[in-house]
Amino acid sequence: MKHLLIAAGLLSATSAIAADKPQLTVYTYDSFVSDWGPGPQVEEAFEAVCNCDLNLVGVEDGAALLSRIRLEGENSEADVVLGLDTSLINAAKDTGLFAPSSVTADYALPIEWTDDVFAPYDWGYFAFVHNADYSAPANFRELANSETKIIIQDPRSSTPGLGLLLWVKAAYGDEAPEIWAGLADNIVTVTKGWSEAYGLFLEGESDMVLSYTTSPAYHLIAEEDASKSAAVFDEGNYMQVEVAGKLAGTDQPELADQFLEFMVSDAFQQIIPTTNWMYPAVTPAAGLPEGFETLTVPEKALLFSPDEAADVRDQALAEWLSALSQ
């Protein structure tokens, strides 16, 4: 009985210590918090320095994050949102729910970063991934005129899906509706998020899937499998810069700032390449992992500014919906 009482006392003391730790809740996308994503390593590394409990909450894909924040408003339990991108920055700011950030870093981005609310943590190029022995189309027109079957993501819930709309719009402008009309019969299905789409591709449900030029690195490094490639298109490939921001209504503002500063540190950035399979926003001290040098790099990068993306988003979405409803 004495031993039981001692054990109970230790358990109670441990629980009390845990209860005293502040909790930081970060909304992000499902693949980030998965067992193979960055989440577990990020949680362990941040908790080692913050004396806190990091609560990572997965919310489908990137665009769904903004929808949830809008729905919850000032009552959101989130302190930080991680997983928006440049196409959603203006819409996120328009909610009035995000606070300015003072995060600075020696960014290794292909563009200059000056935003005072959101901080970048990784970036990459959208691309259609396919088996290396597949003769991939060289551009959207060639894709539309081929029998190639593709899987894409819904732009209303997924940042890659929205990125594809902006990619077509950036490359073709007023001719975008014509491109979508041609692509409609190539599309096998439209998924809510990236994970489902990529999984279906790996199961053989399509010839290509909308993903990133960095996706083959996963197969090469994690699986020692060189059977996947990413298609570089003649028109250029659209860039994505993923960002995080602090909620104005957070009850842990200092802890949220600490997390954002940690996010651009080497401890976080070195995790990104081989878990999120993107380029880190700040090059790790050890450099990029072996295998990244084999990745295809587009000769031409396309990217709307946040203002431009906000201006064309609704039109691009309407064109896409119209083409797929025919």
Side-chain angles (χ1 to χ4, degrees):
M1 179 63 72
K2 181 179 179 181
H3 294 302
L4 289 175
L5 290 173
I6 293 174
L10 290 173
L11 180 60
S12 178
T14 301
S15 299
I17 293 171
D20 288 341
K21 287 187 176 182
Q23 182 180 81
L24 185 75
T25 297
V26 176
Y27 283 5
T28 184
Y29 41 80
D30 284 341
S31 61
F32 194 95
V33 302
S34 65
D35 290 342
W36 47 266
Q41 292 186 49
V42 167
E43 183 175 3
E44 181 180 0
F46 186 61
E47 288 184 346
V49 298
C50 73
N51 190 33
C52 71
D53 175 27
L54 180 60
N55 178 32
L56 295 172
V57 179
V59 185
E60 291 183 351
D61 215 325
L65 285 170
L66 183 55
S67 296
R68 177 158 174 177
I69 290 298
R70 278 177 172 150
L71 181 64
E72 295 179 346
E74 295 179 356
N75 296 319
S76 178
E77 295 182 359
D79 300 297
V80 171
V81 172
L82 182 151
L84 305 179
D85 68 8
T86 48
S87 67
L88 295 172
I89 280 179
N90 277 28
K93 289 180 179 178
D94 286 345
T95 66
L97 298 173
F98 289 87
S101 168
S102 59
V103 175
T104 59
D106 184 16
Y107 293 120
L109 301 170
I111 59 173
E112 183 181 2
W113 194 261
T114 58
D115 195 90
D116 63 351
V117 174
F118 292 97
Y121 63 92
D122 70 14
W123 68 279
Y125 300 98
F126 292 120
F128 285 96
V129 172
H130 56 89
N131 289 327
D133 59 359
Y134 185 77
S135 181
N139 52 62
F140 281 109
R141 290 192 186 279
E142 191 174 315
L143 172 57
N145 292 328
S146 73
E147 298 298 319
T148 299
K149 297 304 178 185
I150 62 175
I151 294 175
I152 64 174
Q153 298 88 37
D154 193 323
R156 295 163 295 187
S157 58
S158 164
T159 49
L162 179 56
L164 177 59
L165 298 197
L166 298 178
W167 183 0
V168 173
K169 198 67 177 172
Y172 289 96
D174 292 340
E175 296 179 13
E178 174 191 340
I179 298 298
W180 280 115
L183 291 173
D185 61 357
N186 297 94
I187 299 171
V188 174
T189 190
V190 179
T191 64
K192 282 189 175 182
W194 175 87
S195 296
E196 181 184 359
Y198 206 81
L200 289 172
F201 163 71
L202 293 179
E203 292 170 6
E205 297 297 322
S206 68
D207 301 309
M208 302 201 303
V209 61
L210 177 64
S211 192
Y212 299 88
T213 60
T214 46
S215 296
Y218 163 75
H219 301 283
L220 183 64
I221 297 172
E223 301 178 335
E224 298 183 351
D225 176 7
S227 68
K228 301 295 183 290
S229 296
V232 171
F233 276 10
D234 297 342
E235 309 97 325
N237 288 58
Y238 198 82
M239 279 181 52
Q240 180 184 45
V241 180
E242 293 193 294
V243 302
K246 176 178 67 173
L247 273 296
T250 175
D251 59 0
Q252 298 289 343
E254 293 182 359
L255 198 54
D257 287 337
Q258 183 182 356
F259 179 81
L260 292 176
E261 291 287 354
F262 172 79
M263 185 183 73
V264 298
S265 73
D266 199 68
F268 182 107
Q269 290 291 301
Q270 68 179 344
I271 295 171
I272 290 296
T274 55
T275 56
N276 221 33
W277 303 101
M278 295 279 278
Y279 293 108
V282 180
T283 303
L288 294 175
E290 184 178 353
F292 267 67
E293 77 283 355
T294 68
L295 298 176
T296 301
V297 179
E299 293 185 7
K300 183 177 181 181
L302 303 174
L303 182 66
F304 284 123
S305 70
D307 288 342
E308 292 169 335
D311 288 341
V312 304
R313 179 185 177 187
D314 288 347
Q315 181 183 357
L317 179 60
E319 291 167 352
W320 177 77
L321 288 170
S322 177
L324 268 61
S325 66
Q326 300 300 317

